[in-house]
């Protein structure tokens, strides 16, 4: 935010304070950036046929275990017949709560592309959650040779089991997505 021009920020309700969060608020105030604090159930309209459904966090269902990761903002970008689910750093416990929350409307989670949670960590991307999302393409944001061992073999195996096409930033570099004719997806790798 110090180097980019930012007009608006969308964040989920924060359940914990940190030095980084304090610095974030300081920059917002200095630059007079408009902030939208959202929670599950809200919809952000961007333009005709393009909107973001906020699926998580849920204020009445806040998770105290690993509070920052499990209350990450989870959003579904919807453009006509195309959708992409952004999962932040949620872990298994949050995935289970999300599945419970949307059990009566499980299609709410279905998406063409999944931004895999928590860099493909073994603590996320349960097979039950992945089967509900049913992604055709999975994107994993992960640094090369990271010390955490991300993405985990179990996460990659689960995605392969669902026959997902997997793109990883450590192998493919920056990934661009272009949607044509309402649903055809072109993926460009910029390595």
């Amino acid at each position: 935010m110090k180097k980019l021009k930012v007009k608006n920020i969308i964040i989920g309700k924060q359940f914990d304070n940190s030095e980084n969060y304090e610095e974030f608020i300081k920059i917002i105030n200095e630059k007079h950036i408009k902030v939208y604090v959202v929670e599950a159930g809200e919809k952000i309209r961007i333009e005709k046929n393009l909107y973001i459904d906020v699926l998580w966090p849920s204020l009445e269902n806040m998770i105290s275990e690993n509070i920052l990761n499990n209350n990450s903002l989870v959003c579904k970008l919807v453009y006509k017949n195309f959708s992409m689910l952004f999962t932040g750093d949620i872990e298994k416990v949050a995935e289970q709560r999300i599945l419970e929350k949307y059990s009566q409307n499980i299609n709410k989670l279905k998406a063409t592309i999944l931004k895999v949670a928590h860099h493909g960590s073994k603590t996320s991307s349960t097979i039950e959650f992945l089967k509900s999302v049913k992604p055709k393409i999975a994107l994993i944001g992960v640094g090369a040779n990271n010390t955490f061992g991300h993405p985990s073999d179990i996460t990659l195996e689960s995605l392969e089991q669902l026959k997902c096409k997997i793109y990883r930033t450590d192998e493919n570099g920056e990934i661009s997505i272009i949607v044509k004719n309402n649903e055809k997806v072109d993926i460009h790798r910029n390595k």
Side-chain angles (χ1 to χ4, degrees):
M1 285 189 338
K2 288 180 180 177
K3 296 181 181 181
L4 299 174
K5 183 177 179 179
V6 177
K7 288 175 149 182
N8 300 294
I9 293 177
I10 301 169
I11 62 172
K13 169 79 173 129
Q14 300 300 294
F15 298 100
D16 196 20
N17 234 346
S18 68
E19 208 173 293
N20 282 341
Y21 184 67
E22 294 299 325
E23 180 67 14
F24 173 74
I25 295 300
K26 182 181 169 195
I27 295 167
I28 286 169
N29 291 332
E30 287 171 359
K31 292 188 160 200
H32 306 288
I33 300 170
K34 189 162 185 160
V35 177
Y36 298 91
V37 180
V38 297
E39 67 171 304
E42 294 187 48
K43 187 176 283 195
I44 303 161
R45 292 228 172 258
I46 299 168
E47 60 185 48
K48 185 180 180 189
N49 299 317
L50 178 62
Y51 61 90
I52 297 170
D53 260 340
V54 180
L55 304 177
W56 195 258
S58 174
L59 294 183
E60 74 265 356
N61 205 355
M62 192 266 301
I63 299 172
S64 58
E65 178 186 326
N66 202 353
I67 199 164
L68 292 176
N69 285 358
N70 286 313
N71 295 291
S72 290
L73 195 56
V74 176
C75 297
K76 182 176 173 182
L77 174 77
V78 180
Y79 172 66
K80 297 184 181 180
N81 297 326
F82 169 83
S83 60
M84 183 168 174
L85 187 64
F86 295 87
T87 54
D89 277 349
I90 61 170
E91 299 173 323
K92 180 180 179 179
V93 64
E95 290 177 353
Q96 289 171 333
R97 295 264 186 97
I98 291 168
L99 288 171
E100 289 167 15
K101 182 170 181 59
Y102 297 101
S103 64
Q104 300 301 309
N105 187 9
I106 206 70
N107 278 338
K108 192 92 161 160
L109 301 177
K110 188 177 176 196
T112 313
I113 297 178
L114 171 67
K115 194 292 292 173
V116 176
H118 204 188
H119 317 286
S121 165
K122 64 183 178 185
T123 62
S124 305
S125 304
T126 61
I127 194 67
E128 182 183 18
F129 186 77
L130 294 175
K131 283 182 177 179
S132 296
V133 177
K134 299 179 182 162
K136 295 176 184 166
I137 299 168
L139 306 178
I140 304 174
V142 61
N145 304 316
N146 67 83
T147 58
F148 299 101
H150 295 152
S152 75
D153 289 341
I154 193 162
T155 298
L156 294 172
E157 289 166 11
S158 295
L159 290 166
E160 288 167 2
Q161 182 180 334
L162 294 176
K163 299 183 180 6
C164 265
K165 177 73 176 152
I166 301 169
Y167 293 92
R168 302 167 40 166
T169 56
D170 62 334
E171 294 178 351
N172 304 117
E174 184 178 308
I175 299 165
S176 301
I177 302 163
I178 299 170
V179 180
K180 298 177 181 176
N181 301 325
N182 303 333
E183 64 184 310
K184 184 181 180 300
V185 178
D186 285 340
I187 302 285
H188 297 275
R189 295 162 291 197
N190 304 315
K191 190 156 188 168

